[in-house]
């Protein structure tokens, strides 16, 4: 009986150790901090491998020589972003869209993003085309 | 029509409330009259919610944009087959749809059990209707699809046209993906209700398990099929060349599926050996919890996701409901622990039981890992006020080894005998599959496959496939010997005699195909170029040439289309035409992927955008090996599950026994 | 108009739901309590059916060459003993009134105790007192030392 439990325990133990080890390394590799524009500017957040969320300033998107730059804003704060990734930008990436840029915040105050996710404000939940809503 | 829908919802809510109370009272008093009234309330609930759904569909189909929901999710030029799914395209409608499916399931449970499980039914009704109360209440208070548009001065407002359905949803598999997923989520309430009823009535034998066997398999099947469709949609529509991104909403659907898979397996141990009783009840509870949790994640926008449902007020309602479920379930389980003693003990580590147990451990570990990654942003925000998200590599690192272990168990488990397996039996059963897998493994190695996980996945796939096929082969040969049947006939009879086992084996074969498809992920290649007429792009052994770049106009959208001719190793394979569409009603662009699919590999082309300076098209090309095997695996799993649902001879004997005549009662039921 | 229809539907459903509560007492007197789902007999029969199915499976797997002789024999012994116990239990249920059952239990217990004194079929592993002379413990399948 004791022997049997032991064997079973060893089996489970090995699995747990392997899984735990994989989980920890995978976690360390892929964890990214998510901050808002204001948090990023106030310097509280890490500057390396962060995701910053905000709204793409309308009219700020500038595509030149295959490079895309724009400003990510939150209320009155904003940060310039340079997109250096290889994937094409998503369809939803337009002025006024909510976007999440992933990358590094460099010393010269420009955010170098290698990955951008965007969601159009009206993507799944279009705003009703009316001034008011009755309950 | 808006009033009609509101009345349906309110009356439905009232009937659900009455049904849950009357069910509990009927069970407590053991009163048949009260119970019957409660059961009728379930049917009344179903009728009223159906009225509400019909009202909303009517509003959608008649383009009545006075309703806020219709105005924001539909438009006049939307084709009919995309107008019907507008019902579940948005928050409010999909909650109503959820409630409706719940009511249909509940009515079916009541009808099919009108002669059976009389002791359990009042509590089953109470739990089902308790859930019904919650969902109809949330729909009424926080997400009413029947609210109307009005101007600031209170006058009614009717816009000339609606905002339109999100173009990403205008796709065939997206029409059936949400209903499938919801049928899966919602259906898990039925086994949960039976488990609760069994706990409340102290009828904790195999009875509730036998009564809910199909009620678990059906939602599990829908959920699995829904997940596959979702992956297929992501692959065909989203245009990033993959089918699974570990997005929170995808995870939310995977979690109850994994827990449900664990439950389907551990149930067998209880049926055969009377073990794992507490574990089984805990698993049903977990599965149901994760289903509701999944709905919550999908609908509340609490974790940011590409699915990006709007932030909404339904979060707190769900949090309270989840807390109630946890409290109620755990209290009841704790109170009944004494009645859930195991009838047997685990005899040996190498036995079918322990195979199932390992399977459960691995599945639950996977649930834990995925859940951890999914909710970590919330936890980290709460603990250190820093939102930390984890990426795909966390999920891959944890789930890939677990998946491989699971794959191994899929083949090895059925070869082990119950209770204990001697070395002799092991040798006998594992020799052939191991040899077959060895041959495949060596061949793959010399064919140049050096990716460890991909190699292991293919090696184990060969192992499991051989295991499963040899089960069929040996079974049929034995039948042939004893019953003097032809091989094919023996194979058929073997399967039909125990559809659950052999259907299960077919599901296992489907899993093998899935893993073969997953291994292909290790060998992706991709390329990207700015192209106009005459430009060339080489990816792996493909050469693409842009023949033309055209634009056009349809009532629903305008488009830009690239026509690319494909050469593979110098051989012409025809043309592919990726498009980029711009939907007029919603003012949104979307890519339309062009695929050339074969069993060996997919050529996946995307018109990702147009360079504003040169006017050239951004063409992105992926070569994805073995993706078709994933869809094939999904279909085989679906077929296997359908086979499991066919009643076998063994089941029919049991059912006959279950339906002990309770003569007078049946005749007067309705 | 739709509102009127909705209210009509609601009202008729109310009657439908309330009807069982209001129906005459005498008409449904015999239906006032819920019938039992699983009587002890049915439960025993169910368990026996499961066991028979297990035995058929075992036989089949053995014939198919999936199980070694040693494992097969040990399992068959156990299943047979278990089935015999279930059979005895359900026959007991059929035949006896509760008082009789109590008496029989007592008799069986004493008989067991006496048999135990002469031949020992108590399992060394799980402690189960096997009521019949067996080679393997009927509870856990442990091989018992035979005392010839």
């Amino acid at each position: 009986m004791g022997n049997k439990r032991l064997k079973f325990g060893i089996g489970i133990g090995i699995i747990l150790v392997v899984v735990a080890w994989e989980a920890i390394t995978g976690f360390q590799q892929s964890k990214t901090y998510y901050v808002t524009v204001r948090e990023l500017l106030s310097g509280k957040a890490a500057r390396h491998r962060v995701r910053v969320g905000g709204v793409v300033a309308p009219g700020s998107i500038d595509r030149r020589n295959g490079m895309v730059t724009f400003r990510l804003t939150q209320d009155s704060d904003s940060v310039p972003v340079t997109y250096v990734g290889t994937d094409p930008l998503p369809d939803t990436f337009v002025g006024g869209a909510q976007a999440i840029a992933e990358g590094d915040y460099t010393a010269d105050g420009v955010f170098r993003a290698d990955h951008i996710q965007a969601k159009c404000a009206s993507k799944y939940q279009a705003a009703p085309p009316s001034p008011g809503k009755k309950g | 029509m808006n009033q009609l829908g509101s009345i349906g919802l309110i009356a439905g809510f009232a009937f659900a409330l009455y049904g849950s109370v009357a069910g509990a009272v009927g069970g407590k008093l053991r009163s048949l009259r009260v119970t019957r009234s409660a059961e009728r309330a379930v049917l009344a609930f179903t009728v009223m919610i159906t009225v509400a759904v019909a009202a909303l569909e009517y509003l959608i189909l008649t383009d009545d944009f006075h309703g806020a929901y219709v105005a924001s999710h539909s438009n006049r030029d939307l084709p009919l087959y995309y107008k019907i799914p507008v019902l579940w395209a948005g928050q409010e409608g999909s909650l109503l749809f959820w409630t409706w499916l719940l009511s249909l399931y509940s009515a079916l449970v009541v009808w099919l059990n009108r002669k059976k499980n009389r002791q359990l039914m009042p509590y089953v009704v109470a739990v089902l209707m308790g859930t019904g109360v919650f969902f109809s209440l949330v729909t009424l208070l926080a997400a009413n699809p029947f609210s109307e548009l009005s101007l600031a001065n209170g006058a009614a407002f009717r816009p000339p046209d609606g905002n339109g359905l999100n173009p990403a949803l205008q796709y065939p598999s997206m029409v059936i993906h949400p209903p499938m997923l919801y049928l899966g989520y919602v259906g898990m309430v039925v086994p949960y209700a039976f488990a609760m009823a069994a706990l409340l009535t102290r009828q904790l034998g195999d009875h509730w398990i036998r009564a809910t066997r199909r009620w678990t398999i059906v939602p599990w099947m829908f959920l699995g099929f829904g997940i596959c469709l979702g992956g297929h949609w992501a692959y065909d529509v989203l245009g990033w060349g993959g089918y699974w991104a570990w997005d929170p909403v995808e995870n939310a659907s995977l979690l109850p599926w994994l827990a449900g898979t664990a439950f389907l397996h551990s149930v067998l141990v209880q049926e055969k050996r009377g073990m794992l009783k507490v574990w089984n009840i805990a698993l049903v509870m977990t599965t149901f919890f994760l289903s509701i949790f999944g709905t919550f994640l999908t609908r509340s926008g609490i974790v940011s996701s590409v699915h990006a449902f709007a932030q909404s007020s339904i979060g707190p309602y769900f949090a309270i409901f989840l807390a109630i479920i946890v409290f109620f379930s755990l209290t009841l389980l704790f109170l009944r622990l004494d009645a859930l003693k195991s009838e047997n003990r685990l005899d040996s580590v190498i036995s079918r039981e322990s195979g199932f147990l390992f399977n459960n451990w691995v599945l639950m570990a996977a649930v834990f890992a995925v859940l951890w990654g999914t909710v970590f942003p919330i936890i980290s925000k709460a603990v250190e006020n820093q939102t930390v998200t984890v990426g795909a590599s966390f999920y891959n690192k944890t789930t890939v080894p677990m998946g491989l272990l699971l794959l191994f168990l899929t083949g090895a488990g059925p070869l082990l005998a119950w209770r204990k397996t001697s070395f002799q039996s092991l040798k006998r059963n594992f020799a052939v599959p191991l040899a077959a897998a060895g041959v495949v493994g060596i061949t793959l190695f010399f064919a140049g496959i050096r990716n460890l996980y991909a190699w292991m996945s293919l090696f184990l796939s060969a192992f499991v496939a051989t295991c499963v096929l040899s089960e069929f082969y040996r079974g049929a040969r034995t039948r042939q010997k004893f019953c003097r049947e032809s091989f094919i006939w023996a194979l058929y009879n073997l399967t039909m005699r125990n559809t659950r086992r052999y259907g299960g084996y077919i599901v296992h074969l489907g899993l093998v195909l899935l893993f073969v498809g997953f291994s292909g992920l290790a060998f992706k290649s991709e390329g990207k170029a700015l192209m106009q007429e005459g430009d060339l792009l080489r990816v792996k052994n493909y050469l693409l040439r842009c023949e033309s770049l055209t634009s056009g106009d349809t009532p629903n959208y305008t488009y830009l289309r690239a026509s690319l001719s494909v050469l593979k190793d110098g051989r012409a394979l025809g043309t592919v035409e990726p498009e980029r569409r711009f939907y007029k009603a919603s003012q949104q662009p979307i890519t339309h992927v062009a695929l050339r699919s074969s069993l060996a590999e997919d050529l996946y082309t995307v018109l990702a955008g147009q360079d504003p300076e040169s006017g050239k098209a951004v063409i992105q090309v992926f070569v994805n090996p073995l993706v078709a095997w994933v869809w094939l695996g999904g279909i085989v799993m679906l077929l296997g599950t359908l086979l499991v649902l066919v009643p076998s001879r063994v089941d029919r004997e049991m059912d006959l026994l279950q339906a002990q005549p309770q003569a007078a009662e049946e005749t007067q039921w309705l | 108009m739709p509102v009127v229809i909705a209210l009509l539907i609601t009202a008729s459903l109310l009657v439908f739901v309330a009807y069982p509560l209001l129906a005459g007492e005498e008409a449904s007197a015999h239906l006032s309590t819920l019938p039992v789902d699983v009587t002890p007999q049915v439960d025993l029969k169910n368990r026996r059916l499961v066991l028979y199915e297990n035995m058929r499976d075992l036989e089949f797997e053995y014939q198919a060459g999936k199980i070694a002789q040693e494992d097969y024999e040990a399992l068959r012994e156990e299943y047979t003993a278990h089935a015999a116990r279930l059979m005895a239990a359900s026959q007991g249920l059929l035949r006896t009134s509760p008082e009789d059952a109590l008496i029989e239990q007592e008799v069986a217990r004493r008989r067991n105790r006496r048999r135990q004194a002469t031949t020992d079929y108590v399992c060394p592993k799980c402690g189960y007192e096997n009521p019949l002379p067996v080679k393997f413990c009927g509870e856990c399948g442990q091989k018992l030392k035979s005392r010839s």
Side-chain angles (χ1 to χ4, degrees):
Chain A
M1 192 63 208
N3 187 24
K4 208 160 49 203
R5 283 227 177 123
L6 189 72
K7 276 196 246 170
F8 213 75
I10 290 173
I12 289 172
I14 291 172
I15 294 169
L16 282 183
V17 168
V18 170
V19 166
W21 186 75
E22 287 281 351
I24 290 165
T25 55
F27 191 78
Q28 292 302 341
Q29 271 178 20
S30 71
K31 84 168 178 184
T32 34
Y33 287 92
Y34 176 85
V35 295
T36 60
V37 171
R38 194 170 302 138
E39 282 167 335
L40 186 78
L41 290 176
S42 69
K44 266 194 297 185
R47 301 185 143 235
H48 190 59
R49 291 253 34 98
V50 289
R51 300 170 81 182
V52 53
V55 176
V56 180
S60 72
I61 301 174
D62 186 15
R63 297 167 200 260
R64 218 173 288 167
N65 315 325
M67 279 247 292
V68 181
T69 58
F70 61 96
R71 292 189 80 81
L72 205 56
T73 61
Q74 179 191 9
D75 303 331
S76 58
D77 300 314
S78 77
V79 60
V81 182
T82 307
Y83 179 61
V84 294
T86 50
D87 291 341
L89 288 163
D91 297 329
T92 43
F93 181 78
V94 289
Q98 290 176 42
I100 296 173
E102 189 173 336
D104 304 327
Y105 189 41
T106 52
D108 55 4
V110 176
F111 191 86
R112 290 171 64 82
D114 49 30
H115 196 78
I116 287 175
Q117 275 182 307
K119 53 184 183 190
C120 204
S122 65
K123 185 161 181 191
Y124 276 65
Q125 197 77 58
S130 75
K133 224 178 173 184
K134 196 172 73 181
Chain B
M1 272 299 148
N2 275 318
Q3 287 109 320
L4 178 66
S6 295
I7 291 173
L9 254 179
I10 292 168
F13 164 73
F15 280 123
L17 190 63
Y18 169 76
S20 61
V21 173
V25 170
K28 188 81 196 154
L29 301 178
R30 292 172 176 258
S31 157
L32 190 64
R33 302 154 131 244
V34 181
T35 304
R36 198 181 290 162
S37 170
E39 285 173 324
R40 288 184 171 203
V42 172
L43 302 184
F45 170 68
T46 311
V47 171
M48 290 325 295
I49 299 297
T50 308
V51 166
V53 167
L56 189 57
E57 274 298 349
Y58 180 84
L59 290 171
I60 294 167
L61 294 179
T62 53
D63 295 322
D64 188 339
F65 300 120
H66 182 39
Y69 185 78
V70 184
S72 45
H73 296 286
S74 186
N75 63 300
R76 284 186 201 283
D77 286 330
L78 199 64
L80 175 69
Y81 48 89
Y82 288 134
K83 269 187 186 165
I84 294 168
V86 165
L87 174 63
W88 53 80
Q91 175 95 286
E92 296 85 357
S94 63
L95 276 170
L96 177 66
F97 187 58
W98 214 106
T99 317
W100 186 51
L101 292 179
L102 173 70
S103 76
L104 293 182
Y105 265 116
S106 306
L108 201 62
V109 167
V110 165
W111 178 250
L112 290 177
N113 285 291
R114 63 194 185 280
K115 297 172 190 172
K116 292 186 293 189
N117 305 318
R118 301 316 301 156
Q119 299 266 320
L120 296 177
M121 276 314 283
Y123 293 115
V124 171
V125 166
V127 174
L128 290 175
M129 287 301 97
T131 315
V133 166
F134 169 71
F135 274 94
S136 46
L137 193 65
V138 172
T139 314
L140 265 176
L141 296 184
N144 192 339
F146 298 106
S147 56
E148 293 172 353
L149 295 170
S150 62
L151 294 169
N153 59 14
F157 177 69
R158 190 184 297 266
D161 199 359
N163 278 3
L165 181 65
N166 178 357
L169 300 178
Q170 298 186 25
Y171 191 77
S173 69
M174 206 53 197
V175 173
I176 41 175
H177 161 69
M180 289 296 138
L181 219 50
Y182 281 10
L183 277 170
Y185 279 142
V186 180
M188 291 300 179
V189 70
V190 180
Y192 174 76
F194 271 92
M196 290 293 105
L199 283 173
L200 283 162
T201 55
R202 284 185 174 272
Q203 293 195 7
L204 292 162
D206 298 357
H207 184 60
W208 74 271
I209 283 196
R210 205 164 292 129
T212 56
R213 191 186 284 164
R214 290 214 166 75
W215 290 110
T216 320
I217 294 174
V218 168
W220 180 82
M221 173 183 77
F222 282 130
L223 198 53
F225 189 55
I227 293 171
C228 276
L229 283 174
H232 190 255
W233 169 75
Y235 186 68
D236 269 14
V237 173
L238 296 184
W240 57 276
Y243 42 82
W244 191 263
W246 296 111
D247 182 81
V249 171
E250 291 170 348
N251 294 349
S253 61
L254 187 64
L255 289 169
W257 186 84
L258 289 172
T261 311
F263 177 66
L264 287 177
H265 286 90
S266 71
V267 152
L268 290 168
V269 181
Q270 178 166 351
E271 276 182 34
K272 290 268 184 191
R273 301 271 297 141
M275 295 159 66
L276 303 181
K277 291 181 181 176
V278 177
W279 179 241
N280 279 331
I281 292 209
L283 275 182
V284 171
M285 291 170 173
T286 311
T287 309
F288 177 61
F289 175 85
L290 290 173
S291 294
I292 301 290
F293 186 73
T295 315
F296 167 60
L297 275 189
T298 320
R299 286 289 148 207
S300 68
I302 189 162
V303 255
S304 65
S305 139
V306 292
H307 286 67
F309 294 104
Q311 294 281 338
S312 74
S313 55
I314 65 168
Y317 291 92
F318 269 86
I320 292 170
F321 186 55
L322 286 170
I324 292 173
I325 294 174
V326 171
F327 176 76
F328 181 62
S329 306
L330 289 184
T331 312
L332 204 54
L333 182 62
F334 185 71
L335 289 176
R336 293 290 184 270
L337 270 184
D338 57 317
L340 287 165
K341 285 221 179 67
S342 184
E343 290 162 30
N344 287 297
R345 277 185 316 216
L346 193 64
D347 296 305
S348 161
V349 187
I350 302 173
S351 63
R352 185 93 51 99
E353 292 95 312
S354 70
F356 280 123
L357 211 56
F358 271 122
N359 146 304
N360 271 228
W361 275 89
V362 176
L363 282 168
M364 291 323 280
V367 166
F368 181 76
V370 175
L371 188 63
W372 179 253
T374 310
V375 301
F376 195 78
I378 309 171
I379 297 176
S380 64
K381 183 78 187 168
V383 173
E384 47 175 338
N385 200 21
Q386 264 284 17
T387 309
V388 179
T389 58
V390 291
S393 77
F394 167 74
Y395 294 107
N396 291 338
K397 282 216 157 203
T398 47
T399 52
V400 170
M402 288 189 229
L404 291 176
L405 196 59
L406 206 61
L407 183 62
F408 169 72
L409 288 171
T410 302
L415 295 185
L416 301 173
W418 291 99
R419 304 208 51 221
K420 63 175 191 237
T421 313
S422 65
F423 185 65
Q424 266 232 297
S425 306
L426 282 183
K427 222 164 53 183
R428 203 178 280 193
N429 289 325
F430 282 83
V432 175
L434 276 179
V439 170
V440 171
I442 292 169
T443 314
L444 288 173
F445 185 80
F446 285 111
I449 290 183
R450 294 293 186 278
N451 181 304
L452 177 67
Y453 280 152
W455 182 84
M456 275 180 76
S457 168
L458 291 170
F459 172 81
L460 286 171
S461 295
F463 170 75
V464 177
T466 323
C467 288
V468 174
L469 292 177
S470 80
E471 279 286 291
F472 278 102
Y473 176 74
R474 284 194 297 191
R477 284 311 289 255
T478 314
R479 250 197 102 87
Q480 211 181 358
K481 201 163 67 187
F482 285 92
C483 308
R484 300 178 180 285
E485 296 164 334
S486 72
F487 185 76
I488 300 294
W489 191 238
L491 201 61
Y492 173 78
N493 279 331
L494 178 79
T495 310
M496 294 321 279
R497 210 192 89 79
N498 195 339
T499 49
R500 201 144 65 112
R501 172 178 308 158
Y502 291 97
Y505 285 160
I506 289 177
V507 174
H508 286 183
L509 271 185
L511 190 77
V512 167
L513 297 178
L514 273 186
F515 270 86
V516 171
F518 295 160
S519 337
L521 288 173
F523 313 107
K524 283 178 83 148
S525 27
E526 58 176 284
K528 195 179 97 172
L530 283 175
M531 295 176 94
Q532 64 184 21
E533 215 173 303
D535 285 341
L536 296 172
L537 170 61
R538 184 178 290 279
V539 181
K540 213 177 158 191
N541 52 353
Y542 286 90
L543 184 67
L544 288 92
R545 181 174 186 277
C546 184
E547 300 295 344
S548 67
L549 215 52
T550 47
S551 49
D553 197 357
T554 71
N556 208 2
Y557 56 84
T558 59
Y559 64 87
L560 174 70
R561 178 185 299 155
S563 183
L564 308 164
S565 61
V566 183
L567 286 166
K568 185 186 180 186
D569 298 323
R571 212 156 40 83
L573 288 179
T575 55
V576 288
E577 299 192 322
E579 277 178 31
R580 188 175 178 77
R581 295 179 178 172
F582 189 79
Y583 281 79
K584 292 171 185 165
S586 51
Q587 294 287 301
Q588 281 180 56
I590 192 158
T591 58
H592 189 78
V593 175
L595 259 177
R596 260 197 66 92
S597 189
S598 73
L599 269 187
E601 59 190 14
D602 284 7
L603 177 71
Y604 185 104
T605 57
V606 186
L607 206 174
Q610 196 170 15
D611 188 56
E613 288 164 54
S614 60
K616 289 184 174 183
V618 184
I619 301 284
Q620 203 174 21
V621 177
F622 298 86
V623 179
N624 295 329
L626 302 175
V627 171
W629 292 66
V630 175
W631 318 133
L632 208 61
I635 292 168
V636 170
M637 283 177 96
L638 179 70
L639 293 178
T641 318
L642 287 173
L643 182 60
V644 170
L645 290 170
V646 173
S648 64
R649 216 194 71 212
V650 186
D651 290 343
R652 258 176 272 146
E653 279 170 20
M654 292 285 188
D655 287 346
L656 273 180
L657 258 163
Q658 291 276 307
Q660 288 286 304
Q662 274 137 23
E665 205 249 327
E666 302 157 17
T667 47
Q668 306 182 357
W669 194 75
L670 279 173
Chain C
M1 188 57 195
V3 177
V4 178
I5 295 172
L7 291 176
L8 272 178
I9 296 175
T10 313
S12 49
L13 284 174
L14 265 177
V15 174
F16 172 70
V17 170
Y19 182 76
L21 295 176
L22 307 172
E25 187 68 39
E26 62 284 353
S28 54
H30 64 292
L31 300 177
S32 57
T33 58
L34 290 168
V36 176
D37 297 338
V38 193
T39 59
Q41 281 103 320
V42 174
D43 182 49
L44 283 168
K45 199 167 172 196
N46 270 343
R47 289 164 67 172
R48 225 162 62 228
L49 275 179
V50 171
L51 206 57
Y52 291 160
E53 188 51 34
N54 287 355
M55 288 165 92
R56 265 196 296 256
D57 263 356
L58 179 70
E59 195 67 37
F60 192 76
E61 292 193 332
Y62 174 62
Q63 295 297 347
K66 217 176 128 179
I67 295 182
Q69 179 126 17
E70 175 198 348
D71 293 348
Y72 165 70
E73 280 173 3
L75 266 172
R76 197 183 52 180
E77 287 276 353
E78 187 223 320
Y79 283 152
T80 318
H82 195 179
R85 264 180 288 141
L86 286 177
M87 189 95 82
S90 64
Q91 296 216 320
L93 264 178
L94 281 180
R95 219 179 29 224
T96 54
S97 63
E99 300 95 294
D100 287 348
L102 272 179
I103 294 168
E104 277 202 13
Q105 253 178 20
E106 182 62 22
V107 171
R109 206 164 57 81
R110 295 196 178 192
R111 198 176 282 153
N112 255 344
R113 207 179 286 156
R114 198 168 59 209
R115 194 181 293 138
Q116 214 176 303
T118 50
T119 46
D120 192 358
Y121 290 108
V122 176
C123 175
K125 192 164 131 205
C126 69
Y128 178 71
E129 299 173 10
N130 287 286
L132 299 161
V134 288
K135 280 190 190 141
F136 297 91
C137 173
E139 185 66 22
C140 70
Q142 170 76 24
K143 191 160 185 170
L144 301 179
K145 243 185 268 167
S146 59
R147 290 193 176 187
S148 48

